[in-house]
Amino acid sequence: MGIGGQAAAMVAWLGVFFAFSAADVLDEVTRQQPGRAMRFSTGVFDPESNNDAYFLSPGQRKTFARLEGPGEIRHIWFTVSGEFRWTRSIVLRIYWDDSDVPSVETPLGDFFAAGNGMRANVSTVPLEVTSYGRALNSYWHMPFRRSARVELTNEGKALAGVYCQIDWMKFDALPDSTLYFHARYKQECPRMPFEPYVIFEGQGQGQYVGTVFSSQSALAHWAGEADDLYFIDGEEQPSLVGTGTEDWLTDAWNTRVFTNANAGVTIKEPNGVDCRFTAYRWHLQAPVTFHKSLRVEYERRSFITVTDPATGKDIEMPFKYRPDFLSSVAIWYQKGVAEPFCAFPPVQDRLNPEIIVSTRERTERLPCSDDMKRDGHAERVMHGLWYMGLRNDKVSAWVDLPFTIKDEGQYSLSAFPILFRNCGIWKVTLLGPGVEIVLDPELDLFDTSLALKEHSPENIEFGTRTEKKLGIVRLVPGKYRMRFTCIGSNPLSTTGEFGRRGYNLGLNFISLRKLPWDHMDQWLKKYLVKERAIVAERDATARRTVDALAAAVAAFHRERGAYPARLDDLLTTRGQNGKPFFDATRIPVDPWRQPYQYACPGRYRPESFDLYSMRGDSTDPSHWITSWTADDLRIPGAIEGEALRVIGGSEGASAHPQVVWTRSIPPTSGGTVLFIDFARRGGTMALALPESVKPGRYRVTLHLLKSWDYADVQWSIDGKRLGEPAPGHSPEIVRTVVDAGEITLGDGPHTLQAEALDADPTMHRFCAGLDAVVLEAVE
């Protein structure tokens, strides 16, 4: 191929490379594409054999495919038979161009959007997963120049059979601008308070295209208020800031299971301890581009609930640090092969220690009532393609699954039954050393999902695979039994080959997962001590910096007769001593990684400047660390509006003191105003000024509020108008200071009067807010 032909081929190839959506792909296939279709497969062309899988022994690491480039992987398909948690114990690694560093290193299930060793169906642009999470398809485009090597490692305890196909295109050349595909798994359980979870931290040039995010809740309550943050090219403040977990996932108001083209929640259990959760978010339409570096963080903060063992009551706290077990897969494209930004954790850290009590090997040995008939059944739904069926015609029939606990701790108990149209309702009881706990008084195993298309027709033939969580119990070493006792049948349950009354039971196994945390009430006490210490340290640091910067601003004003326009002027301007007013290389950010706020003239102190740290909360000025005190904000000689006595008003008009919500406005004098509701246009209100007001000439200043339902008001004293009507409407609550001119007052008493003249045409109320009146004597 000549140079012109290669260039044309590369241009066409680029169009295919960025064809993420179905519409783009359909458009591309109408024109001849460069390259040759290739495939790696674990099968071989052998018409007389069905031996199409590779088998991995425990601990075995095997190269599946070696591809010679230039080329691009377009599709990878896996299906696996192995131990129950193979989605976390089998590791996928992909290497580009003979590198010793894997560009893809992740548990197989997490890469395909199912975390915590669980399985889920997924339907999204770059991933498609079906067959109860067992048919794994990736459509991520993965280019390589010289070679690609795809490896799987079985870090589990049982033999794994893996079927695999890799469809790829072989090219003559790739463009110089080609970016390499990367995917890296990370996890963390738990960190110190205020430490975010870092999803990705990379160096170089590239674009971030997606996250698979999983969690396992250590505490009860809603865990979804944390924001996603993106720090691009070394910035101290993130360019991209989210508004909450479910918003990051393009959903709203809590989370529920869904799978869409660009985002989805594949796993979501009810909020509470051991709530397991997996979601994905792609950035295909707007990749997060970076030229030097990128850091992606997750806040780790939301609501928490801990039960106090002394009282048995729940302790709820808003927006606190959560010590949940978090894990993620960061997915990005980058120039060259990136070095790992985190160590890959061993399998014992990726999975909860778990006891699996299978029925397969114990069918004839399980203790049960005399009238139970036990059969093993092969099928395509349950783990190991097998389950134990119990034929039963009688209420009160029972079967026990014995197990032994060696390590004391908190265990999350689950049963893995098969739902079927002739199964009954069963009570589940835990029996052991000093323990008899009803885990579920009526576990209904009738299959209510018969109409779901994703289960049909397998559920009609075999039933529906499910997990029934039975609760969290503290277990001590000893021998236990989980007893299933028939208590009845669902009215819809049918008769069939297993008995006559719909009382049957299909059971694959039970699971006891030991949780990685314990005594969370004690953890909370320690956490609150640490939190107070961290907050105190941050406050002290912010206070020292605010005081130092305020002193530098005051010195600047003394020497130069004006305040600096911005804080950086303190670094670039030298004082009389020849040194900068603030001797540092830069103005620091505060301990909450936000810039110190500076305004001149100030919003809070219009006569000088404002300088403060928002302490991580831009909406609540009452918490800020400021260069002023409450006394600095008092209005000298002010007559507080809320202290004025109502002496008259038009029909329906009323007035009362109101505490002001200060999050959107500088604090009022005293934090309270007099709220006046005129009831209608033309309404009036009369207020008695203090008897201490003496005769004389005064300059009058009105400190008022403006809001969305406030009217334009004409103010007057003793019938003498105070300037023009004061506008009252504003889309948000703001303070305003009105210079009402001068007025001569005779002997008292004196009356301050207000009349509602007009309101914004979109509003139906006529209100006003009076903060204070200042009467300044004129010499």
Side-chain angles (χ1 to χ4, degrees), residues 9 15 80 97 114 121 249 420 471 516 518 587 664 703 761 767:
V80 177
D97 297 349
N121 287 351
L249 304 173
F420 204 61
D518 206 352
I587 301 296
S664 60
H703 294 253
C767 305

Side-chain angles (χ1 to χ4, degrees), residues 460-478:
I460 298 174
E461 299 178 51
F462 306 120
T464 298
R465 172 190 184 274
T466 190
E467 176 180 2
K468 296 289 188 178
K469 295 184 79 171
L470 301 172
I472 298 172
V473 180
R474 184 169 193 82
L475 300 179
V476 299

Side-chain angles (χ1 to χ4, degrees), residues 40 63-68 98 147-151 166 168:
F40 161 82
T63 296
F64 271 54
R66 292 182 183 272
L67 314 178
E68 298 299 323
D98 302 315
S147 67
R149 185 168 88 253
V150 180
E151 290 186 353
I166 301 175
W168 62 289

Side-chain angles (χ1 to χ4, degrees), residues 69-122:
E72 180 180 271
I73 295 173
R74 296 288 181 82
H75 169 234
I76 301 176
W77 168 82
F78 290 110
T79 191
V80 177
S81 63
E83 65 181 4
F84 181 60
R85 301 292 180 186
W86 61 260
T87 54
R88 265 272 163 98
S89 61
I90 293 181
V91 180
L92 171 66
R93 292 183 176 89
I94 303 179
Y95 301 79
W96 308 127
D97 297 349
D98 302 315
S99 172
D100 293 329
V101 177
S103 292
V104 175
E105 188 172 34
T106 167
L108 197 57
D110 292 84
F111 182 81
F112 287 94
N116 294 308
M118 301 173 74
R119 295 174 2 200
N121 287 351
V122 183

